[in-house]
Amino acid sequence: MAANRFKVKQSEGAPERGFFGFLSTKLKLTELETGFPVKYLPKVLFAVLLGVCYVWNSHYAERTTREIDRLEDEVEDLRADVTTLEADYMFSSKQSEVARRVQQLGLEESKEPPIKIIVDSDEY
């Protein structure tokens, strides 16, 4: 495909159209020989926007990673606490441990097995 060889010449006194033409006239960048290279400005702004998003994303990822590490340490500490408490509970609920504790209250462990009481529901 052939490239477009024809360009529209702008008259000397006519202001440039569009945002970048306005920007070029306000910043007085007419001293440049070819003028303000506004055709590259959208691409440059897009690249800058992508750079800002990249930096923000890397900071966000680092912060999230630090938070995950902190929470994993906290979970490990809580898991160790739960394991210790479960072991203490299991030890304190053993029959020999219960008998030792109630002995201080004056109660004694029964030497006879319990008797099963059967109630007929017809009598009531």
mmCIF file of all heavy atoms in Angstrom, residues 71-81:
data_model
loop_
_atom_site.group_PDB
_atom_site.id
_atom_site.type_symbol
_atom_site.label_atom_id
_atom_site.label_comp_id
_atom_site.label_asym_id
_atom_site.label_seq_id
_atom_site.Cartn_x
_atom_site.Cartn_y
_atom_site.Cartn_z
ATOM 1 N N LEU A 71 -0.109 -12.558 58.483
ATOM 2 C CA LEU A 71 -1.266 -13.360 58.867
ATOM 3 C C LEU A 71 -0.909 -14.840 59.001
ATOM 4 O O LEU A 71 -1.446 -15.527 59.877
ATOM 5 C CB LEU A 71 -2.398 -13.175 57.858
ATOM 6 C CG LEU A 71 -3.066 -11.803 57.873
ATOM 7 C CD1 LEU A 71 -4.071 -11.694 56.747
ATOM 8 C CD2 LEU A 71 -3.711 -11.515 59.213
ATOM 9 N N GLU A 72 -0.007 -15.335 58.168
ATOM 10 C CA GLU A 72 0.431 -16.729 58.295
ATOM 11 C C GLU A 72 1.153 -16.955 59.621
ATOM 12 O O GLU A 72 0.968 -17.992 60.274
ATOM 13 C CB GLU A 72 1.333 -17.117 57.127
ATOM 14 C CG GLU A 72 0.574 -17.380 55.844
ATOM 15 C CD GLU A 72 1.480 -17.693 54.676
ATOM 16 O OE1 GLU A 72 2.719 -17.510 54.802
ATOM 17 O OE2 GLU A 72 0.967 -18.125 53.642
ATOM 18 N N ASP A 73 1.984 -15.989 60.025
ATOM 19 C CA ASP A 73 2.659 -16.101 61.327
ATOM 20 C C ASP A 73 1.643 -16.095 62.468
ATOM 21 O O ASP A 73 1.760 -16.863 63.422
ATOM 22 C CB ASP A 73 3.658 -14.959 61.522
ATOM 23 C CG ASP A 73 4.860 -15.075 60.607
ATOM 24 O OD1 ASP A 73 5.104 -16.189 60.080
ATOM 25 O OD2 ASP A 73 5.555 -14.056 60.415
ATOM 26 N N GLU A 74 0.645 -15.225 62.355
ATOM 27 C CA GLU A 74 -0.385 -15.153 63.392
ATOM 28 C C GLU A 74 -1.185 -16.452 63.469
ATOM 29 O O GLU A 74 -1.486 -16.947 64.566
ATOM 30 C CB GLU A 74 -1.310 -13.974 63.104
ATOM 31 C CG GLU A 74 -2.331 -13.726 64.181
ATOM 32 C CD GLU A 74 -3.199 -12.511 63.903
ATOM 33 O OE1 GLU A 74 -2.822 -11.673 63.064
ATOM 34 O OE2 GLU A 74 -4.257 -12.413 64.534
ATOM 35 N N VAL A 75 -1.515 -17.025 62.319
ATOM 36 C CA VAL A 75 -2.256 -18.289 62.297
ATOM 37 C C VAL A 75 -1.418 -19.400 62.928
ATOM 38 O O VAL A 75 -1.935 -20.230 63.685
ATOM 39 C CB VAL A 75 -2.673 -18.652 60.853
ATOM 40 C CG1 VAL A 75 -3.102 -20.098 60.738
ATOM 41 C CG2 VAL A 75 -3.790 -17.741 60.388
ATOM 42 N N GLU A 76 -0.127 -19.423 62.638
ATOM 43 C CA GLU A 76 0.747 -20.445 63.218
ATOM 44 C C GLU A 76 0.805 -20.316 64.742
ATOM 45 O O GLU A 76 0.766 -21.328 65.454
ATOM 46 C CB GLU A 76 2.149 -20.325 62.613
ATOM 47 C CG GLU A 76 3.051 -21.473 62.942
ATOM 48 C CD GLU A 76 2.550 -22.801 62.404
ATOM 49 O OE1 GLU A 76 1.955 -22.830 61.321
ATOM 50 O OE2 GLU A 76 2.749 -23.809 63.106
ATOM 51 N N ASP A 77 0.883 -19.073 65.251
ATOM 52 C CA ASP A 77 0.879 -18.860 66.700
ATOM 53 C C ASP A 77 -0.442 -19.326 67.323
ATOM 54 O O ASP A 77 -0.454 -19.984 68.371
ATOM 55 C CB ASP A 77 1.110 -17.387 67.034
ATOM 56 C CG ASP A 77 2.529 -16.940 66.738
ATOM 57 O OD1 ASP A 77 3.403 -17.823 66.587
ATOM 58 O OD2 ASP A 77 2.751 -15.715 66.650
ATOM 59 N N LEU A 78 -1.560 -18.979 66.674
ATOM 60 C CA LEU A 78 -2.865 -19.387 67.197
ATOM 61 C C LEU A 78 -3.033 -20.902 67.145
ATOM 62 O O LEU A 78 -3.615 -21.503 68.059
ATOM 63 C CB LEU A 78 -3.988 -18.703 66.414
ATOM 64 C CG LEU A 78 -4.112 -17.193 66.631
ATOM 65 C CD1 LEU A 78 -5.140 -16.613 65.691
ATOM 66 C CD2 LEU A 78 -4.446 -16.879 68.069
ATOM 67 N N ARG A 79 -2.509 -21.537 66.102
ATOM 68 C CA ARG A 79 -2.598 -22.991 66.011
ATOM 69 C C ARG A 79 -1.816 -23.649 67.145
ATOM 70 O O ARG A 79 -2.260 -24.642 67.731
ATOM 71 C CB ARG A 79 -2.061 -23.452 64.656
ATOM 72 C CG ARG A 79 -2.247 -24.941 64.435
ATOM 73 C CD ARG A 79 -1.871 -25.353 63.030
ATOM 74 N NE ARG A 79 -2.869 -24.838 62.109
ATOM 75 C CZ ARG A 79 -2.583 -24.214 60.956
ATOM 76 N NH1 ARG A 79 -1.337 -24.056 60.592
ATOM 77 N NH2 ARG A 79 -3.541 -23.787 60.182
ATOM 78 N N ALA A 80 -0.648 -23.095 67.466
ATOM 79 C CA ALA A 80 0.144 -23.636 68.578
ATOM 80 C C ALA A 80 -0.606 -23.455 69.898
ATOM 81 O O ALA A 80 -0.614 -24.358 70.749
ATOM 82 C CB ALA A 80 1.497 -22.950 68.632
ATOM 83 N N ASP A 81 -1.251 -22.300 70.093
ATOM 84 C CA ASP A 81 -2.025 -22.057 71.314
ATOM 85 C C ASP A 81 -3.190 -23.049 71.437
ATOM 86 O O ASP A 81 -3.455 -23.579 72.519
ATOM 87 C CB ASP A 81 -2.571 -20.626 71.333
ATOM 88 C CG ASP A 81 -1.475 -19.585 71.524
ATOM 89 O OD1 ASP A 81 -0.355 -19.976 71.932
ATOM 90 O OD2 ASP A 81 -1.738 -18.398 71.255
#
